[in-house]
Amino acid sequence: MRKTYIAGVLGAGRMGKIHIENILYNIPNLKLKAVADINRNDKLEKWANTIGVPKLISDASEIINDPEINMVVIASSTDTHTRFIQEVAKAKKDIFCEKPIDTDLKRIKETLEIVKEEGVKLMIGFNRRFDKNFKRVREMVSSGQVGIPQIVKVTARDPAPPSIEYIRSSGGMLFDMTIHDWDMARFQVGSEIEEVYAKGAVLVDPEIGKAGDIDTTVLILKFKNGALGMIDNSRQAVYGYDQRVEVFGSKGCAIADNEPLNTVRLYTSEKIKEDNIPYFFLQRYMDSYAAELRYFIECLQENKEPSPNGEDGFQNVVIAIAAQKSYEENRPVKISEIVI
Amino acid sequence: MRKTYIAGVLGAGRMGKIHIENILYNIPNLKLKAVADINRNDKLEKWANTIGVPKLISDASEIINDPEINMVVIASSTDTHTRFIQEVAKAKKDIFCEKPIDTDLKRIKETLEIVKEEGVKLMIGFNRRFDKNFKRVREMVSSGQVGIPQIVKVTARDPAPPSIEYIRSSGGMLFDMTIHDWDMARFQVGSEIEEVYAKGAVLVDPEIGKAGDIDTTVLILKFKNGALGMIDNSRQAVYGYDQRVEVFGSKGCAIADNEPLNTVRLYTSEKIKEDNIPYFFLQRYMDSYAAELRYFIECLQENKEPSPNGEDGFQNVVIAIAAQKSYEENRPVKISEIVI
Amino acid sequence: MRKTYIAGVLGAGRMGKIHIENILYNIPNLKLKAVADINRNDKLEKWANTIGVPKLISDASEIINDPEINMVVIASSTDTHTRFIQEVAKAKKDIFCEKPIDTDLKRIKETLEIVKEEGVKLMIGFNRRFDKNFKRVREMVSSGQVGIPQIVKVTARDPAPPSIEYIRSSGGMLFDMTIHDWDMARFQVGSEIEEVYAKGAVLVDPEIGKAGDIDTTVLILKFKNGALGMIDNSRQAVYGYDQRVEVFGSKGCAIADNEPLNTVRLYTSEKIKEDNIPYFFLQRYMDSYAAELRYFIECLQENKEPSPNGEDGFQNVVIAIAAQKSYEENRPVKISEIVI
Amino acid sequence: MRKTYIAGVLGAGRMGKIHIENILYNIPNLKLKAVADINRNDKLEKWANTIGVPKLISDASEIINDPEINMVVIASSTDTHTRFIQEVAKAKKDIFCEKPIDTDLKRIKETLEIVKEEGVKLMIGFNRRFDKNFKRVREMVSSGQVGIPQIVKVTARDPAPPSIEYIRSSGGMLFDMTIHDWDMARFQVGSEIEEVYAKGAVLVDPEIGKAGDIDTTVLILKFKNGALGMIDNSRQAVYGYDQRVEVFGSKGCAIADNEPLNTVRLYTSEKIKEDNIPYFFLQRYMDSYAAELRYFIECLQENKEPSPNGEDGFQNVVIAIAAQKSYEENRPVKISEIVI
């Protein structure tokens, strides 16, 4: 019989709440014991109560030191990730950590070494790999139906830009948004990126430019296995959350189009009309959050190395640094140029 | 603040289990107190335990008489429906009952009168009305975007026929399968059926014919408001569970195509390929079961008459009787010919 | 080397003009020698001149008696068809005749016998069989990919009703419009119709009803091989010329959707929009008129019996008579009830 | 009344033949007088005879000097283009010339000046602008429905690589194949390209690499108006001729998908299948060749400057030189770096 895991969650912000609800309702063999949030307040208490959280505390160490808890979800703010990973790893608990691990390569490296030494499992929440459509594309690629991948294309456009405050603290569009897309490209191609060229522009809102960021970007990737990649991003697609993936190879091409809200087409005297695509990531990717956690529990039960793991988290940040350098210097940058 | 309802469930077979899981996990403001199943056994106990059913009993009357329970889901065998509806109504509890209410028109009529006298609400589980695609078509029709409905078309094909035993006890294809489709047609058009012509054939399996039933049927409906309808059914579509609806009117046409499993298209040297449509009703309509129950709770909270209600359940059986007569006598039959 | 045929055309109305242009420009091995039209006038002369018609005359017999002409296209008014077919057949020329041959079964029968005696070939212009989409469906059916056909569905809706004058002289909707659809159904299923049930209504324009006709109709067909069929027609689909075919069988289902005007989808903040489908038959079926004539020349060159032939033309009229009877008497009518 | 133009055609190779057939059959107000081909031989004579070419000669000057001919189509080999354009311009005839004008910028410049001096019209055959789908996208962009263009994407993949001999004399993939795509990008965005970055690879056939060329390429474009562009090309898409365009802007996104061969979907027990897309450019773009010529005649009749004109032809070659430099030096290249 399958082992049941007892989970603690660090952080009950937007992402933490999603994981908490999934643990409570959607993941077999995973029980929630406690949630720790440093900003515990009345509103959060009430939410926790309604949803059925057994225990809400403010001190993370209570969870880290609880001998019954054997799996921890880290969904606290990014600057706390490496510290919590290290502490949880030392407490010999397996870890599911939200992306990104950190923005400092050295700190990530040290943390991953501790994880390795302690022999616990670490999965990073690049949830889009678990979207049913993109996963199906990957199955077609890995089963050979597409042949040798030659060109991978990722389109990702948000429905509306975040606040200027958010943008200021986001680390920049390439770290905050595009990081998902080279993770997707790496996932689909099954090879590492060797070189990146990023071109950016401010086309949506001049305020974003004044804040030192871009809002539109297109990238070219070169993979170690020879494949080429293309990414295009915008902070504002007025028609919704545009998320598409295409892998072109020697035997064919797999294209995942946007997920429709419904299948209804309305034929009128003027046009044929369809409802828009999902508005944002909660609508589009909700199922993927449960799927990634279910998969992680499976990895624990079968003692498999999870994927995406810490190394993926590390690579994605390295590429972000290279892409940022490429954008700033307007030239292709080799990943090997980025040294810790 | 919204009132929370306390539910009891009668019957924990296939449909009962779906409702129980939804009450436990997916319906706000609805708490499960107890489940009664006459076939309570070890396997069921274990299932109930795992899923988190608070109390599993074998005697329905315990639920019916529990003063705390104010809403009962009836998912027991069809022959017990009218008895349970009557008892629950007399206990002044609101009722969600699986389709069909019964096959005897007189019994249904009597039961509905008791429901009316007792002043409780009764909803019948024609869940397809809550499928997001078909619901969207109805919104387009009722908001006038399609104009006056002139032709409604419903296609419903199962992936594989049920067992001959099932067919023998099913009441016949028109009662068992097509009943959903004229409910859908009535729902979409917003008018009652006046006349039906049903043509049937045995094209899938001669054994079905030997059991006295048909496995393929096409029907023409005439509505009181003048609209025409068409239904086609098959017990076996080898490519999956084919479920489509179309409403054509004076201002346009709304077409709900099958729900795809994913959005991926694979271009190969031979063909462009897509994964098949959902295999059967659990895959296709799972969300609709939660949606119908959520809607019913909303009706209770806002004191709205639910739809489909007992009258819909009655009408659908009247039409089944007329359709059966039409098939047997190979002539269009007026609904008014069917008298209790 | 392939024989070149020399064509004469009788009638230069709407359909005649289409055939004349095709012979001039689109059919290899077919040369136009002369066109006869009883209503020869200045406007027609000018058109003929511009388009490059070698000879325009008013007397059909000049063409019928021209020894160089070995193939005649009959596109004159319906009431002249049988007379011209007989005369051309006796002159030992092969014949392509527009639909319908006639509305009188006895006259058709006699004419077909003369054609047979004279040993010439006769093809009837049911052009939709040559539409690339419907032809592709038929290929899938005849190659066995759909298995044994069980349900065939034809949807045909015009963009707007013709004038009341046209309707008055059209022979009625079933003769004028639906005749194409059972021809399509027969073509797809590859079996003859045994019984038809037609339900009609006046939902588009009461004036059509006053003129003694219907504007909306749905039909159920039963084929000799056991298959069932469904047709739905409307005189007015505000979104364009809706033309779809579906064949469902034991191994699958082939669905031909409407031909799009282009492949562009426009994603906006409100909706996803596509341009409408083709507006009417000239836009949708233009290629099929050249294809049917090319095919006929191929039949002549390879001495193959063309399809659809005179017998198809006859059958389609028999079914029209049965369908009309069915509509009038509101009951299914066996084709065998129709006797000459 | 509209003036009729009398055309001469220089060159009866693959492209010349397409134009000749279109002039003969598909372009109102344009008459063919003569065709000159330096390789006039029996086979060509026979073809010309069958198709109805009035006069086939080997000496171009006969056409250039024929006073009745007022419009010349140049479809001879690329190295003769500038010479013929100059001669025809001096003979005061309007010119439709196949792409590319030449590969030498200086020679193009001189030629365009002569065209200007002589006051004749010159159109260059970038036919894809006349594809109904891509034209429709442009209409949406220019009418403002897409808003301000921000990202333009062009996908163009051939079904199979040409012979190594062809590749050797082609000028390279960027000159031979990608040149169409930045013309398309310029057409859609309505602004000039400022900078290009081209990444290439040999992923299809190592022989292509040995011949000094690439077979796979991805590019990033920057436009003067700030928009960004992406192009991806492959010499081999096993599923057919993949031709797509997308324009994303401040108000929406217009996407032109591949043109389907037909609309039929076959649902089987394994997959849903569609026939492949068109195999190559003749199948896909045939209509666009007639459309571009029809449009040119319209320009002549209305005395409008045609588009794409000589300047477009010039720009497209400038960009090719910049793209080649970018690929060779692996860096973004400004168009302004390319000087004559």
Side-chain angles (χ1 to χ4, degrees):
Chain A
M1 203 190 136
R2 303 225 135 193
K3 182 177 169 185
T4 291
Y5 281 79
I6 311 295
V9 176
L10 308 185
R14 192 172 60 175
M15 285 311 305
K17 285 201 179 88
I18 292 173
H19 292 308
I20 290 163
E21 290 195 33
N22 278 327
I23 298 172
L24 285 170
Y25 298 135
N26 290 315
I27 324 282
N29 302 313
L30 184 59
K31 297 261 170 251
L32 182 67
K33 182 159 181 199
V35 172
D37 193 295
I38 203 167
N39 299 312
R40 182 184 161 201
N41 56 25
D42 278 8
K43 200 178 154 201
L44 190 62
E45 289 273 9
K46 197 174 159 190
W47 174 84
N49 215 35
T50 309
I51 213 78
V53 172
K55 195 170 152 190
L56 178 68
I57 53 183
S58 46
D59 183 7
S61 63
E62 246 186 87
I63 284 176
I64 296 168
N65 297 323
D66 184 329
E68 204 195 6
I69 289 174
N70 48 13
M71 183 273 199
V72 174
V73 171
I74 301 176
S76 49
S77 65
T78 301
D79 57 344
T80 65
H81 284 181
T82 50
R83 177 164 59 88
F84 280 151
I85 293 176
Q86 294 183 21
E87 288 178 21
V88 175
K90 284 173 184 163
K92 302 287 185 197
K93 300 177 194 326
D94 295 308
I95 306 158
F96 179 95
C97 181
E98 265 309 310
K99 64 202 160 300
I101 305 185
D102 198 287
T103 54
D104 183 276
L105 289 179
K106 195 152 165 281
R107 210 152 46 217
I108 301 178
K109 204 80 181 174
E110 285 166 7
T111 302
L112 296 186
E113 263 154 43
I114 289 165
V115 167
K116 204 175 169 186
E117 277 164 26
E118 300 297 342
V120 298
K121 290 200 165 30
L122 170 63
M123 177 167 169
I124 308 299
F126 284 98
N127 62 295
R128 293 186 194 174
R129 294 186 180 205
F130 295 87
D131 174 75
K132 68 179 178 179
N133 302 308
F134 301 155
K135 205 178 152 193
R136 192 72 187 92
V137 171
R138 176 58 191 159
E139 285 166 14
M140 287 168 173
V141 175
S142 59
S143 67
Q145 291 175 273
V146 171
I148 298 165
Q150 296 173 344
I151 301 174
V152 58
K153 291 165 75 174
V154 180
T155 291
R157 300 171 188 155
D158 284 352
S163 67
I164 297 296
E165 292 68 46
Y166 178 91
I167 280 176
R168 277 210 183 87
S169 69
S170 70
M173 190 187 196
L174 294 164
F175 280 83
D176 179 60
M177 190 170 162
T178 324
I179 197 167
H180 282 283
D181 303 314
W182 50 69
D183 182 70
M184 180 53 67
R186 293 170 61 240
F187 169 60
Q188 293 295 350
V189 173
S191 170
E192 288 303 335
I193 292 169
E194 192 177 276
E195 189 189 277
V196 60
Y197 174 66
K199 192 85 193 169
V202 180
L203 301 175
V204 173
D205 183 358
E207 292 301 314
I208 293 174
K210 285 182 200 160
D213 203 0
I214 51 177
D215 53 32
T216 307
T217 184
V218 294
L219 296 95
I220 285 180
L221 312 172
K222 187 173 185 302
F223 288 84
K224 285 191 175 154
N225 70 356
L228 299 172
M230 308 182 87
I231 296 172
D232 70 280
N233 283 170
S234 171
R235 284 285 193 189
Q236 182 173 288
V238 297
Y239 52 90
Y241 190 51
D242 193 345
Q243 302 279 306
R244 288 173 279 159
V245 165
E246 171 173 344
V247 182
F248 169 76
S250 55
K251 285 191 182 167
C253 188
I255 303 181
D257 204 347
N258 279 299
E259 183 74 18
L261 282 190
N262 58 60
T263 67
V264 183
R265 304 180 88 212
L266 179 67
Y267 292 72
T268 72
S269 57
E270 267 182 70
K271 289 279 171 191
I272 305 169
K273 296 176 190 173
E274 289 175 54
D275 286 336
N276 271 337
I277 54 176
Y279 182 71
F280 211 175
F281 70 98
L282 287 183
Q283 230 180 338
R284 168 66 188 263
Y285 288 129
M286 198 42 105
D287 288 346
S288 72
Y289 294 114
E292 65 179 357
L293 221 45
R294 260 196 299 271
Y295 160 81
F296 185 52
I297 297 305
E298 209 179 283
C299 288
L300 297 185
Q301 287 172 328
E302 301 173 8
N303 196 25
K304 286 189 305 188
E305 175 65 10
S307 169
N309 60 13
E311 190 52 38
D312 290 295
F314 178 76
Q315 273 303 320
N316 289 336
V317 176
V318 173
I319 298 161
I321 293 167
Q324 185 66 27
K325 196 178 179 65
S326 168
Y327 162 63
E328 283 166 10
E329 303 177 6
N330 194 25
R331 65 171 183 91
V333 169
K334 293 229 174 312
I335 302 307
S336 59
E337 291 183 40
I338 310 306
V339 285
I340 307 183
Chain B
M1 204 189 132
R2 302 224 137 196
K3 182 175 171 187
T4 291
Y5 279 79
I6 311 294
V9 176
L10 308 186
R14 194 172 59 176
M15 284 314 303
K17 285 200 178 88
I18 291 173
H19 292 307
I20 291 163
E21 291 196 33
N22 278 328
I23 298 172
L24 285 170
Y25 297 136
N26 290 315
I27 322 281
N29 301 315
L30 185 57
K31 298 262 170 250
L32 183 67
K33 181 161 183 199
V35 172
D37 194 294
I38 203 166
N39 298 312
R40 182 182 162 202
N41 58 23
D42 278 7
K43 203 179 151 199
L44 190 62
E45 289 273 8
K46 200 175 154 186
W47 174 84
N49 216 36
T50 309
I51 213 78
V53 171
K55 194 170 155 191
L56 178 66
I57 52 182
S58 45
D59 183 6
S61 63
E62 247 186 84
I63 285 177
I64 296 168
N65 297 324
D66 184 329
E68 203 195 7
I69 290 174
N70 47 13
M71 183 272 198
V72 174
V73 172
I74 301 176
S76 49
S77 65
T78 300
D79 58 342
T80 65
H81 285 180
T82 48
R83 178 165 57 88
F84 281 151
I85 292 176
Q86 294 183 22
E87 289 178 21
V88 175
K90 284 172 185 164
K92 303 284 185 197
K93 300 176 195 323
D94 294 307
I95 306 159
F96 179 95
C97 181
E98 266 308 310
K99 65 203 157 303
I101 304 183
D102 199 288
T103 54
D104 184 275
L105 288 179
K106 194 151 166 281
R107 210 151 46 218
I108 301 178
K109 204 81 181 174
E110 285 166 6
T111 303
L112 297 185
E113 264 154 40
I114 289 166
V115 168
K116 203 174 169 188
E117 279 164 25
E118 299 297 342
V120 298
K121 291 200 164 31
L122 168 64
M123 176 167 170
I124 308 299
F126 284 97
N127 62 294
R128 293 185 195 175
R129 295 186 178 204
F130 295 86
D131 174 73
K132 67 177 179 181
N133 302 309
F134 301 153
K135 204 178 152 192
R136 192 73 186 90
V137 171
R138 176 57 190 157
E139 285 165 16
M140 286 167 173
V141 175
S142 59
S143 66
Q145 292 176 273
V146 171
I148 298 165
Q150 295 173 345
I151 303 174
V152 57
K153 291 165 74 175
V154 180
T155 293
R157 300 171 187 155
D158 284 351
S163 67
I164 296 298
E165 292 69 45
Y166 177 91
I167 280 175
R168 279 211 182 87
S169 69
S170 69
M173 190 187 196
L174 294 164
F175 280 83
D176 179 59
M177 191 170 161
T178 323
I179 197 168
H180 282 283
D181 304 314
W182 51 68
D183 181 69
M184 179 55 64
R186 294 172 59 242
F187 170 59
Q188 294 295 350
V189 173
S191 169
E192 289 302 336
I193 293 170
E194 189 176 278
E195 187 189 279
V196 59
Y197 174 66
K199 192 85 193 168
V202 180
L203 301 175
V204 173
D205 183 357
E207 292 303 314
I208 293 174
K210 284 182 200 160
D213 203 0
I214 51 177
D215 53 33
T216 307
T217 186
V218 293
L219 295 94
I220 284 180
L221 312 172
K222 187 171 185 301
F223 288 83
K224 286 190 176 157
N225 70 355
L228 300 173
M230 308 182 86
I231 297 172
D232 71 281
N233 284 171
S234 171
R235 285 284 194 189
Q236 181 173 287
V238 297
Y239 51 91
Y241 189 51
D242 193 344
Q243 301 280 308
R244 288 173 278 160
V245 165
E246 172 175 345
V247 182
F248 169 78
S250 55
K251 285 191 181 167
C253 187
I255 303 181
D257 203 347
N258 279 297
E259 182 75 17
L261 282 190
N262 58 60
T263 66
V264 184
R265 305 180 88 213
L266 180 67
Y267 292 72
T268 72
S269 57
E270 268 181 69
K271 289 279 171 190
I272 305 169
K273 295 176 191 172
E274 288 176 54
D275 286 336
N276 271 337
I277 54 176
Y279 183 70
F280 212 175
F281 72 98
L282 287 183
Q283 231 180 335
R284 168 67 189 262
Y285 288 128
M286 197 42 102
D287 288 347
S288 72
Y289 294 114
E292 65 179 357
L293 222 44
R294 259 196 300 272
Y295 160 81
F296 185 52
I297 296 306
E298 211 179 280
C299 288
L300 297 186
Q301 287 173 328
E302 301 174 8
N303 196 24
K304 287 189 304 189
E305 174 67 10
S307 169
N309 60 12
E311 190 51 38
D312 290 295
F314 177 77
Q315 273 302 321
N316 289 335
V317 175
V318 174
I319 299 162
I321 293 167
Q324 185 66 27
K325 194 177 181 68
S326 168
Y327 162 63
E328 284 167 10
E329 302 178 7
N330 194 26
R331 64 170 184 92
V333 169
K334 294 230 175 312
I335 303 306
S336 60
E337 292 184 39
I338 310 305
V339 286
I340 307 184
Chain C
M1 205 189 133
R2 305 224 135 194
K3 182 177 171 186
T4 291
Y5 280 79
I6 311 294
V9 176
L10 308 185
R14 192 172 60 175
M15 284 312 305
K17 285 201 178 88
I18 292 173
H19 292 307
I20 290 162
E21 290 195 33
N22 278 327
I23 297 172
L24 285 170
Y25 297 137
N26 290 315
I27 323 282
N29 302 313
L30 185 58
K31 298 262 170 250
L32 182 67
K33 183 161 181 196
V35 172
D37 194 295
I38 203 166
N39 299 313
R40 183 182 161 202
N41 58 23
D42 277 6
K43 200 178 153 200
L44 190 61
E45 289 273 9
K46 199 174 155 188
W47 174 84
N49 215 35
T50 309
I51 213 77
V53 171
K55 195 170 152 189
L56 178 67
I57 52 183
S58 46
D59 183 4
S61 63
E62 245 186 87
I63 285 177
I64 296 168
N65 297 324
D66 185 328
E68 203 194 7
I69 289 174
N70 48 15
M71 183 272 199
V72 174
V73 172
I74 301 175
S76 48
S77 66
T78 300
D79 58 342
T80 66
H81 285 182
T82 50
R83 177 164 58 88
F84 281 151
I85 292 175
Q86 293 183 23
E87 288 177 22
V88 175
K90 284 173 184 162
K92 302 285 186 198
K93 300 176 196 322
D94 296 307
I95 307 157
F96 179 95
C97 182
E98 265 309 310
K99 65 202 158 301
I101 305 184
D102 199 285
T103 52
D104 183 276
L105 289 180
K106 194 152 167 279
R107 209 149 48 215
I108 300 178
K109 204 82 182 172
E110 285 166 6
T111 303
L112 296 186
E113 263 154 41
I114 288 165
V115 168
K116 204 175 168 187
E117 278 164 26
E118 300 296 343
V120 299
K121 291 199 165 30
L122 169 64
M123 177 166 168
I124 308 300
F126 284 98
N127 62 296
R128 294 185 195 176
R129 295 186 179 204
F130 295 87
D131 173 74
K132 68 177 178 181
N133 302 308
F134 301 154
K135 205 179 152 194
R136 193 72 188 91
V137 171
R138 176 58 190 157
E139 286 165 16
M140 287 169 174
V141 174
S142 60
S143 67
Q145 292 175 271
V146 170
I148 299 165
Q150 296 172 345
I151 302 174
V152 58
K153 291 164 75 174
V154 180
T155 292
R157 300 171 189 155
D158 285 353
S163 67
I164 297 296
E165 292 69 45
Y166 177 91
I167 279 175
R168 277 211 183 85
S169 69
S170 70
M173 190 186 196
L174 294 164
F175 280 82
D176 179 59
M177 190 170 164
T178 323
I179 197 168
H180 282 282
D181 303 314
W182 50 68
D183 182 69
M184 180 54 65
R186 293 172 60 242
F187 170 59
Q188 293 294 351
V189 173
S191 169
E192 289 302 336
I193 292 169
E194 192 177 277
E195 188 190 277
V196 59
Y197 175 68
K199 191 88 194 167
V202 180
L203 301 175
V204 172
D205 183 358
E207 292 302 314
I208 294 175
K210 285 182 201 160
D213 202 359
I214 51 177
D215 54 31
T216 307
T217 184
V218 294
L219 296 94
I220 285 180
L221 312 172
K222 188 172 185 302
F223 288 84
K224 285 191 176 157
N225 71 356
L228 300 174
M230 307 182 88
I231 297 171
D232 70 280
N233 283 171
S234 170
R235 284 286 193 190
Q236 181 173 288
V238 296
Y239 51 92
Y241 190 50
D242 194 345
Q243 301 281 306
R244 288 174 279 159
V245 165
E246 172 174 343
V247 182
F248 169 77
S250 55
K251 286 190 181 168
C253 187
I255 303 181
D257 204 348
N258 278 298
E259 183 74 17
L261 282 190
N262 58 60
T263 67
V264 184
R265 305 179 88 212
L266 179 67
Y267 293 72
T268 72
S269 58
E270 266 181 72
K271 289 280 172 190
I272 305 168
K273 296 176 190 171
E274 289 176 54
D275 285 337
N276 271 337
I277 53 176
Y279 183 71
F280 212 175
F281 73 97
L282 287 183
Q283 230 181 336
R284 167 66 188 264
Y285 288 128
M286 198 42 105
D287 288 347
S288 72
Y289 294 114
E292 64 178 359
L293 221 45
R294 259 197 299 271
Y295 160 83
F296 184 52
I297 297 306
E298 210 180 280
C299 288
L300 297 185
Q301 287 172 329
E302 301 174 7
N303 195 24
K304 287 189 304 190
E305 174 66 10
S307 169
N309 60 13
E311 189 52 37
D312 290 295
F314 178 76
Q315 274 302 321
N316 289 335
V317 176
V318 174
I319 298 162
I321 293 167
Q324 184 67 27
K325 196 177 179 66
S326 168
Y327 162 64
E328 285 167 8
E329 302 178 7
N330 194 25
R331 65 171 182 93
V333 169
K334 294 229 174 311
I335 303 306
S336 59
E337 293 183 38
I338 310 306
V339 286
I340 308 184
Chain D
M1 202 190 135
R2 303 227 136 193
K3 182 176 170 186
T4 291
Y5 280 80
I6 311 295
V9 176
L10 307 185
R14 193 173 59 176
M15 284 313 304
K17 285 200 178 89
I18 291 172
H19 293 306
I20 292 163
E21 291 196 31
N22 278 327
I23 298 172
L24 285 169
Y25 298 136
N26 290 315
I27 323 282
N29 302 315
L30 185 58
K31 296 262 170 250
L32 182 67
K33 181 159 183 199
V35 173
D37 193 295
I38 202 167
N39 299 310
R40 181 183 163 202
N41 57 24
D42 278 8
K43 202 179 151 198
L44 191 61
E45 290 273 9
K46 199 175 155 188
W47 174 84
N49 216 35
T50 310
I51 212 78
V53 171
K55 193 169 153 192
L56 177 67
I57 53 183
S58 46
D59 183 6
S61 62
E62 247 186 86
I63 284 176
I64 296 168
N65 297 324
D66 185 329
E68 202 195 8
I69 289 174
N70 48 13
M71 183 274 199
V72 174
V73 171
I74 302 176
S76 49
S77 65
T78 300
D79 58 342
T80 65
H81 285 181
T82 50
R83 178 164 58 87
F84 281 151
I85 292 176
Q86 294 183 22
E87 289 178 21
V88 176
K90 284 172 186 164
K92 303 284 185 198
K93 300 178 194 325
D94 296 306
I95 307 158
F96 179 95
C97 181
E98 264 309 310
K99 65 201 158 296
I101 305 184
D102 199 287
T103 54
D104 183 276
L105 290 179
K106 195 153 165 279
R107 211 150 46 218
I108 301 178
K109 205 81 182 173
E110 285 166 7
T111 303
L112 297 186
E113 263 154 41
I114 289 165
V115 168
K116 203 175 168 185
E117 278 163 28
E118 300 296 343
V120 299
K121 290 200 165 31
L122 170 63
M123 177 168 169
I124 308 300
F126 284 97
N127 61 296
R128 293 185 196 175
R129 295 186 180 205
F130 296 87
D131 173 75
K132 67 177 178 181
N133 302 308
F134 301 155
K135 204 178 151 194
R136 192 72 187 91
V137 171
R138 176 59 190 155
E139 286 166 15
M140 285 168 174
V141 175
S142 60
S143 67
Q145 291 176 274
V146 171
I148 298 165
Q150 296 173 344
I151 302 174
V152 58
K153 292 165 75 174
V154 180
T155 292
R157 300 171 188 155
D158 284 352
S163 68
I164 297 297
E165 293 68 46
Y166 177 90
I167 280 175
R168 276 211 184 87
S169 70
S170 69
M173 189 187 196
L174 294 163
F175 280 82
D176 180 58
M177 191 170 161
T178 324
I179 197 168
H180 283 283
D181 303 314
W182 51 68
D183 182 69
M184 181 53 66
R186 292 171 60 244
F187 169 59
Q188 293 294 350
V189 173
S191 168
E192 288 303 335
I193 292 169
E194 190 177 277
E195 188 191 276
V196 60
Y197 174 67
K199 192 84 194 169
V202 180
L203 300 174
V204 172
D205 183 357
E207 292 302 313
I208 293 173
K210 285 183 199 159
D213 203 0
I214 52 176
D215 54 31
T216 308
T217 185
V218 293
L219 295 95
I220 284 179
L221 312 172
K222 187 173 185 300
F223 288 83
K224 284 189 178 158
N225 70 355
L228 300 174
M230 309 183 85
I231 297 172
D232 71 280
N233 283 171
S234 170
R235 284 285 194 190
Q236 181 174 288
V238 298
Y239 51 90
Y241 190 50
D242 193 345
Q243 303 279 307
R244 287 173 279 160
V245 165
E246 172 175 343
V247 181
F248 169 77
S250 56
K251 285 192 183 166
C253 188
I255 302 181
D257 204 348
N258 279 297
E259 182 74 19
L261 283 189
N262 58 60
T263 66
V264 184
R265 304 180 88 213
L266 179 66
Y267 292 72
T268 73
S269 58
E270 267 181 71
K271 289 279 170 191
I272 305 169
K273 295 176 191 172
E274 289 176 52
D275 285 337
N276 270 336
I277 54 177
Y279 183 71
F280 212 174
F281 72 97
L282 288 183
Q283 230 180 336
R284 167 66 189 262
Y285 288 128
M286 198 43 105
D287 289 347
S288 72
Y289 295 114
E292 64 179 359
L293 223 44
R294 258 196 300 268
Y295 160 82
F296 185 52
I297 296 307
E298 209 180 282
C299 288
L300 298 185
Q301 286 172 329
E302 302 174 8
N303 195 25
K304 286 190 305 189
E305 173 66 9
S307 170
N309 61 12
E311 190 52 37
D312 290 295
F314 177 76
Q315 274 302 321
N316 288 336
V317 176
V318 174
I319 297 162
I321 293 167
Q324 185 66 27
K325 196 178 180 64
S326 168
Y327 163 63
E328 284 167 8
E329 302 177 7
N330 194 26
R331 66 171 183 91
V333 169
K334 294 228 174 312
I335 302 307
S336 59
E337 292 183 41
I338 310 305
V339 286
I340 307 182

